[in-house]
Amino acid sequence: MDETTRPQDPHSHSHGHSHGHSHGRADAAPGAPRGRRAWSRRRAWSRRRRITLLAVGVLAALLAWNTESVLTETAEASGGQIVRLPGGDIHVVQDGPPGAPTVVLLHGLAGSTTWWDPVMSALRDLHVVRVDLLGHGTSAKPADGYGIAEQAHRVGAVLDQLGVRRATVIGHSTGGTVATALAEQRRDLVAAIALIDTGPRVDAFLGDSFTGRLMSTPVVGELLWRLRTDSLIRDAASTAFTREVPTPDRMIADIRGMTYRSLTATQAASTAYVKERPVPDRLTRLDLPTLVIFGSLDRRWQPSSAQDYRRVPHARIEILHGVGHTPMYEAPDTTGALLHGFALETASR
């Protein structure tokens, strides 16, 4: 046996095996933790993805539920004097001598009988009927019935039940479209018509406040309505005023008491009515004594659009300088005097 090779073979083999084995461990050792870390990361990412999808699904379900719940909310009428009508009862307030000439006051979008309080002293010698339109104030708030022609028909039915045969009808903003529709339907009932900051045509609309626009955005609007606060309501209604005037708590409470459906459906109906035919064109056909009052600083309708009413026969236009969209609050004395004088002039017709 070769002396030089005999002791080295096992040693060499053992050394080689040992070297090879240790080299194998050196190669494998870093790989296993890297594999485990990658697997852990994939598992964590998958878990986060499942949680995110679950959260999105739950949020979507909650939003869908809220939207459906808000859109289907209804309410019954309440208040001192309720006129019972099919499809929704109406709250009314009557003031003044019953035998005096009758004046009917119709508020605007999101308004109520409260909006006329500042001018009531000027009308104290007249028989004044204030109406909460369907969906407003303390009148009923059903799921439907908010078309302008439907609102007008309902006002006519209210006056019939109250025994009113002839009246000067006064409408503010959207209430002006209802007054116009009532005159279209009931020439026997409407002796004269007065419109206060009622937009004559769709493209004269200046827009709502940012909050007001959000309120009419699907899903977002319903969510805001669910979470509405007094400050949010005041902000949404801010364009209704230009002069600094105290906003009564009752006014805010009336808006809070509306349903989202009654608000948005009335707004859409008013837009559709004016889009179908401009208000001055409708009044021209009626040939009625007409008074138009418009604030020179209206933030909802272009003040210059008041001149559209000049083409209406027998129309008298009064521009109130420095006044916004709601003259009853911003200039109650001037507005009240104009309405009182007009009502007396047209009472004998």
Side-chain angles (χ1 to χ4, degrees):
M1 185 176 290
D2 189 3
E3 190 175 328
T4 59
T5 59
R6 187 183 59 218
Q8 292 183 1
D9 281 347
H11 177 74
S12 297
H13 179 73
S14 172
H15 177 75
H17 177 75
S18 173
H19 177 74
H21 182 67
S22 67
H23 179 70
R25 284 199 307 270
D27 284 346
R34 281 200 301 267
R36 284 195 296 271
R37 285 196 298 270
W39 178 79
S40 296
R41 284 195 298 270
R42 286 195 299 272
R43 186 178 181 187
W45 178 84
S46 179
R47 187 186 303 115
R48 286 195 298 271
R49 183 170 179 269
R50 287 196 302 271
I51 292 172
T52 301
L53 289 174
L54 179 62
V56 169
V58 170
L59 179 60
L62 286 173
L63 287 174
W65 170 83
N66 180 71
T67 299
E68 179 67 15
S69 174
V70 167
L71 286 175
T72 56
E73 182 185 5
T74 60
E76 296 299 323
S78 62
Q81 184 175 6
I82 303 297
V83 177
R84 306 294 177 187
L85 292 175
D89 299 333
I90 298 297
H91 171 245
V92 300
V93 178
Q94 295 190 78
D95 296 281
T102 299
V103 172
V104 178
L105 302 179
L106 305 176
H107 60 77
L109 178 69
S112 70
T113 56
T114 303
W115 285 59
W116 299 104
D117 284 351
V119 299
M120 287 305 297
S121 61
L123 306 176
R124 60 186 175 274
D125 60 336
L126 300 172
H127 175 220
V128 181
V129 179
R130 287 183 279 174
V131 179
D132 273 339
L133 296 175
L134 190 74
H136 293 71
T138 55
S139 286
K141 299 164 185 70
D144 51 30
Y146 298 107
I148 297 303
E150 293 174 280
Q151 291 274 23
H153 178 77
R154 195 169 295 275
V155 171
V158 166
L159 297 176
D160 288 342
Q161 285 203 31
L162 296 179
V164 174
R165 297 287 174 262
R166 199 82 170 142
T168 295
V169 182
I170 300 168
H172 172 234
S173 195
T174 294
T177 63
V178 178
T180 303
L182 178 61
E184 289 176 317
Q185 296 172 8
R186 298 288 303 274
R187 290 297 303 277
D188 63 307
L189 180 61
V190 181
I193 187 169
L195 307 182
I196 303 175
D197 287 78
T198 295
R201 49 188 160 82
V202 172
D203 60 358
F205 185 58
L206 294 174
D208 285 319
S209 65
F210 176 71
T211 304
R213 290 195 298 273
L214 284 179
M215 281 284 194
S216 59
T217 303
V219 182
V220 175
E222 288 89 345
L223 181 60
L224 283 177
W225 189 256
R226 172 75 66 183
L227 303 175
R228 65 193 182 280
T229 61
D230 287 358
S231 61
L232 186 72
I233 292 171
R234 289 179 191 276
D235 186 61
S238 61
T239 54
F241 304 95
T242 299
R243 287 183 175 178
E244 290 293 330
V245 296
T247 309
D249 292 338
R250 179 64 189 174
M251 184 184 293
I252 301 303
D254 283 339
I255 298 174
R256 177 185 285 281
M258 294 182 71
T259 65
Y260 185 74
R261 174 67 180 164
S262 64
L263 175 68
T264 56
T266 303
Q267 183 177 35
S270 178
T271 300
Y273 181 81
V274 177
K275 188 174 183 179
E276 180 185 47
R277 187 178 300 118
V279 178
D281 292 353
R282 294 175 181 273
L283 293 174
T284 297
R285 292 183 175 188
L286 295 173
D287 195 30
L288 284 171
T290 303
L291 171 65
V292 175
I293 298 174
F294 226 94
S296 69
L297 298 180
D298 192 317
R299 295 167 61 194
R300 289 193 173 174
W301 295 94
Q302 293 172 6
S304 61
S305 70
Q307 302 306 319
D308 286 16
Y309 290 101
R310 293 204 176 278
R311 65 176 182 266
V312 180
H314 317 300
R316 171 183 161 199
I317 302 172
E318 295 286 348
I319 305 299
L320 304 188
H321 296 286
V323 175
H325 185 68
T326 313
M328 302 91 74
Y329 270 89
E330 299 180 62
D333 293 341
T334 303
T335 304
L338 287 171
L339 295 178
H340 182 263
F342 182 68
L344 288 182
E345 289 169 14
T346 57
S348 59
R349 291 176 178 268

